[in-house]
Amino acid sequence: PSTAPGSPGRAGRAACGACGACVVVCGLCVCGLWSVVWPNPKTPFSCVQFDRDDFRKREELHASFAVFDNGGRGKLSVDEPVGIFTRRGGGNPLDEAEARSFVASLNLNRNSDGELELDELVQAMILANPCPSAEVTNVRPQHATPQGGTWHMNGGAELEPLFGFTFVVCVRWLLKFALQEVMPECMGVVPPWQKLPADAEVRREDLYKSKMWWGLPIAVLSYGWDSKGHPDSSGKTLQSLVPLLKAIVAACDNGDNGFPPTWGFVWDFLALPQRGYTTGDHPEKDDRTPAQLERFSAGLRNINVWYGAPHTFTLVLNTPMAMGTENTTPYARRGWCIFERSLSAIAKDSYCYLELANMGSDVASWDALRDACIASRPPPIPPDEFEHILTEGVKKEELVPGCGIKFSSGKDLTSVVIPQYKAGFLRLMDGAKLGYAVLSWGSDEANTLAAALQYAVEAGVSPVELSLEHNQLCDVDSAGSGFFTLEGFTPLCKAFANMPNLTSVNLANNNITNCGSDVSSIIELAKVLPQTNIACLILDNNGTFTLEGLAQLCEAFTKMSNLETLSLLQNNLDEEGGKLVTKAAEGMPQLKTLCAITSESIYRDLSQLGLGVGDVLLLAFDLPKKDKLVTLNLQGNGLDARAEDMLRTVAPNIELIF
């Protein structure tokens, strides 16, 4: 080899000056870097993932392939690759038996024509040879997206390394399989990773064409296996997904919502090498090759990324298990399902968490399906509490079968699930923009969230944004129904004070004042605000802010040196309350708005909000500073002539619509 094993370098020639065959076993690499990696007898073939498009462009690969292409036909027999791995050129080649074992594990000649083309060899190496120690980090995108593409904007780059050791199925292929248009001999029962054809894999270049505003074109399935050896032995799970698959494909065909040509689908049984399917169909026997085990291990170590990513679509298949199946344990009592759902609760966009029990069989469109399946999700659980819940649940299941939490393999809990959840939790919390809007959370959820935030802080990580609008954090709705409590709100406020990186908090539409009858929540919030670094605070529509509560809030605001954006609209402020707020704001030179109107806003719609005289005073403070604001819509608020005159006086250059 032209460089030391495992080191980066340009393996353009053989060190011996001979045939250059060593090039074909060189650095299967990340993002176009090359390194020489000779097989080691103790590790049949160890290499890192590589970008197939960059690799194929290399003339050296074509040249080295040609070394064994004696007939010059651009093809090899399925036996000839053995020579690549037994050929000596420095390093430690395999003996013939080891080489044949390794070549067999590559699952070459996937098109079954008896001959091996260059692309088949590259594809096989991609599938069979991940970096065994691969860990996900923030990486640079490998390919440019088209203008207006959102793959990178929505976090696709984070997923890039995972494709090297996770087989992501093309949704179009999966639908054809379900309809028995491909592989009809399987009769709709999904094959394991080992038996998937190459054309079942999604093309990343198709995913890069996504212009979806909400989400990535990646679906990740969370479901229960119906038997130990096969997750869908009857094919019923796949058939239940057909309406969803059809909806996605139809939206892709129509280009709806910026959909790309297809989606990727992550299904564990298809994504990673499964035991018992390499040399035959014996699920009780682990016959995977060392290379397959490395691939499986790498995939398992990073499984939290697929579920936790904010913009992958987690599909929670929480329907009852089919009658007559081997394992009828419901979704809510399965350890792996709890793990997947809990990971998906941490930072997932609300549009991307779907519970398929609400899907139905007659789906008109993707939009209709998504809207029907969007569901409230639980708050993030601190890793120590997560561990406690699962370990106690497993113990309960052992004592009283059918009442606790079940794992098919006991070591999964301690070796994979608990450490994976903790790793995913800390990674997702670090610098995160967490959105928990419109989830019907009350004080219990607020308390759990507060504990999770505190755990994160003590571990040295912290989110930067927290959105909790349209919930019931004090257990009362907008009409005041319910029993008002601070059991969750108080610890949540305390958590704010402990997060040095938290810069934005949205508590709008939570009725934290119980329609003005209780100022205790305002007092709790006012206590902690000066201890935070919050720059943006949204408190709109929280009942009625009385003068008593406003006085304490305003005092707290004046002590917040970073506060630039504040919004207090729709809190039934009277004139005296409005004056109290604007007076405090005048002493805060860094404060830019009391109504969340940014300096870049051109148009703002505040129609039909029930704004009153206090809100008008807040707007009168804002408008003279908004040079770029062209139009402000205030229709349907019932403002009197005095209010209209005041706003026209302070904003003569803004079109005000009353």
Side-chain angles (χ1 to χ4, degrees):
S2 58
T3 61
S7 64
R10 186 65 184 267
R13 61 178 179 83
C16 61
C19 68
C22 59
V23 173
V24 82
V25 293
C26 72
L28 307 186
C29 64
V30 178
C31 301
L33 296 177
W34 292 54
S35 60
V36 174
V37 187
W38 270 103
N40 184 301
K42 296 181 180 179
T43 306
F45 192 75
S46 179
C47 63
V48 296
Q49 67 191 74
F50 70 106
D51 179 80
R52 71 190 73 182
D53 293 326
D54 287 345
F55 197 31
R56 286 174 181 167
K57 293 174 184 176
R58 304 289 185 175
E59 294 180 0
E60 295 93 335
L61 178 60
H62 292 262
S64 59
F65 188 90
V67 168
F68 295 91
D69 180 17
N70 296 323
R73 299 175 299 109
K75 295 184 178 182
L76 305 180
S77 74
V78 292
D79 290 328
E80 284 178 307
V82 172
I84 294 173
F85 304 108
T86 58
R87 191 178 184 91
R88 294 183 181 274
N92 297 306
L94 302 176
D95 61 33
E96 184 173 347
E98 291 170 330
R100 289 190 179 279
S101 175
F102 172 67
V103 169
S105 76
L106 288 176
N107 192 19
L108 298 176
N109 191 224
R110 297 169 78 87
N111 63 12
S112 302
D113 64 358
E115 294 183 301
L116 174 66
E117 297 179 2
L118 172 64
D119 284 357
E120 286 182 283
L121 177 61
V122 173
Q123 174 75 358
M125 288 184 173
I126 293 170
L127 295 178
N129 294 287
C131 174
S133 62
E135 300 294 344
V136 172
T137 58
N138 291 326
V139 297
R140 294 179 61 186
Q142 293 182 356
H143 293 279
T145 58
Q147 185 174 4
T150 58
W151 172 261
H152 299 150
M153 182 186 78
N154 287 334
E158 179 190 30
L159 305 179
E160 295 281 345
L162 278 66
F163 283 86
F165 43 79
T166 306
F167 193 102
V168 181
V169 177
C170 174
V171 161
R172 289 183 180 276
W173 183 91
L174 189 58
L175 177 59
K176 289 180 180 179
F177 180 88
L179 300 177
Q180 299 189 37
E181 295 175 8
V182 296
M183 299 182 72
E185 68 277 8
C186 293
M187 301 180 67
V189 177
V190 291
W193 173 88
Q194 287 93 323
K195 297 184 179 181
L196 283 171
D199 62 356
E201 186 176 24
V202 73
R203 287 159 42 95
R204 268 189 282 174
E205 48 265 42
D206 286 337
L207 302 181
Y208 296 146
K209 296 175 183 177
S210 174
K211 296 184 179 180
M212 296 166 59
W213 189 251
W214 297 109
L216 290 165
I218 296 287
V220 188
L221 186 63
S222 176
Y223 71 113
W225 282 41
D226 70 8
S227 66
K228 186 174 182 179
H230 196 289
D232 186 22
S233 56
S234 66
K236 292 179 180 178
T237 295
L238 177 58
Q239 289 306 308
S240 72
L241 296 173
V242 167
L244 176 138
L245 299 175
K246 286 183 175 179
I248 294 174
V249 169
C252 289
D253 287 339
N254 298 330
D256 295 345
N257 303 310
F259 275 32
T262 189
W263 277 32
F265 200 96
V266 180
W267 186 332
D268 55 0
F269 190 66
L270 290 74
L272 301 173
Q274 302 299 314
R275 58 184 294 148
Y277 292 100
T278 296
T279 59
D281 292 329
H282 308 290
E284 296 300 321
K285 176 185 176 183
D286 196 344
D287 58 352
R288 288 172 290 189
T289 67
Q292 290 174 350
L293 288 171
E294 287 182 355
R295 179 186 181 92
F296 180 84
S297 178
L300 202 60
R301 279 197 303 274
N302 293 289
I303 195 68
N304 72 80
V305 181
W306 291 110
Y307 290 100
H311 294 106
T312 57
F313 284 82
T314 295
L315 307 178
V316 176
L317 189 59
N318 54 341
T319 53
M321 299 298 294
M323 294 296 294
T325 56
E326 177 184 314
N327 186 348
T328 58
T329 305
Y331 182 95
R333 287 185 40 243
R334 291 174 178 258
W336 274 102
C337 294
I338 294 170
F339 164 74
E340 294 157 1
R341 187 169 184 249
S342 298
L343 273 172
S344 299
I346 297 172
K348 189 72 67 179
D349 185 280
S350 295
Y351 274 91
C352 298
Y353 177 84
L354 307 180
E355 294 190 354
L356 301 187
N358 303 322
M359 178 170 60
S361 58
D362 186 17
V363 177
S365 67
W366 165 256
D367 286 343
L369 182 150
R370 181 202 61 205
D371 292 345
C373 295
I374 290 174
S376 178
R377 63 187 194 274
I381 306 171
D384 54 355
E385 179 62 17
F386 178 82
E387 180 176 353
H388 175 76
I389 291 171
L390 263 65
T391 53
E392 290 302 310
V394 169
K395 290 178 182 177
K396 185 176 181 180
E397 179 67 16
E398 292 173 351
L399 293 173
V400 187
C403 296
I405 295 173
K406 191 172 181 179
F407 278 94
S408 55
S409 174
K411 66 179 182 180
D412 286 350
L413 174 62
T414 55
S415 300
V416 182
V417 169
I418 289 175
Q420 278 276 323
Y421 180 80
K422 181 177 180 180
F425 176 91
L426 294 177
R427 180 177 52 80
L428 291 166
M429 279 286 179
D430 191 16
K433 298 179 180 180
L434 301 176
Y436 305 124
V438 202
L439 295 175
S440 301
W441 285 3
S443 62
D444 288 343
E445 289 81 4
N447 209 8
T448 300
L449 174 61
L453 295 173
Q454 185 60 38
Y455 184 100
V457 169
E458 291 175 0
V461 299
S462 171
V464 296
E465 295 183 11
L466 183 60
S467 181
L468 287 161
E469 72 267 30
H470 287 282
N471 284 295
Q472 300 168 20
L473 298 180
C474 295
D475 283 349
V476 292
D477 61 18
S478 59
S481 299
F483 182 76
F484 186 85
T485 177
L486 295 181
E487 290 182 2
F489 191 77
T490 297
L492 192 59
C493 290
K494 291 179 179 178
F496 297 162
N498 294 329
M499 291 188 283
N501 299 328
L502 184 66
T503 60
S504 179
V505 174
N506 189 336
L507 296 172
N509 297 282
N510 273 283
N511 194 13
I512 61 174
T513 67
N514 196 15
C515 301
S517 65
D518 198 315
V519 298
S520 56
S521 62
I522 298 296
I523 293 172
E524 289 298 322
L525 183 60
K527 286 179 183 177
V528 302
L529 285 177
Q531 304 170 45
T532 71
N533 291 318
I534 294 173
C536 176
L537 179 62
I538 310 299
L539 295 173
D540 296 339
N541 200 20
N542 269 301
T544 298
F545 281 15
T546 63
L547 290 178
E548 179 186 0
L550 276 175
Q552 298 205 38
L553 271 181
C554 288
E555 183 180 356
F557 295 155
T558 60
K559 298 175 182 178
M560 299 173 68
S561 59
N562 295 320
L563 187 62
E564 296 181 352
T565 299
L566 178 63
S567 193
L568 295 168
L569 295 174
Q570 296 179 269
N571 286 309
N572 296 308
L573 301 187
D574 58 18
E575 184 171 356
E576 189 174 355
K579 290 180 178 179
L580 185 63
V581 173
T582 55
K583 182 178 179 180
E586 288 169 358
M588 302 170 62
Q590 84 284 2
L591 186 65
K592 298 176 181 178
T593 176
L594 292 173
C595 308
I597 301 176
T598 69
S599 58
E600 300 300 317
S601 297
I602 297 174
Y603 173 83
R604 184 68 188 273
D605 186 1
L606 296 177
S607 61
Q608 308 290 337
L609 295 181
L611 302 183
V613 61
D615 299 310
V616 170
L617 291 172
L618 303 185
L619 286 167
F621 173 86
D622 270 23
L623 296 183
K625 305 175 183 179
K626 307 306 172 187
D627 296 336
K628 295 184 180 180
L629 187 65
V630 176
T631 303
L632 177 62
N633 187 355
L634 292 166
Q635 286 182 308
N637 285 297
L639 299 177
D640 59 22
R642 177 169 170 260
E644 293 181 14
D645 289 343
M646 178 187 297
L647 294 178
R648 285 195 176 100
T649 299
V650 299
N653 298 320
I654 298 174
E655 179 188 13
L656 301 174
I657 304 174
F658 294 104

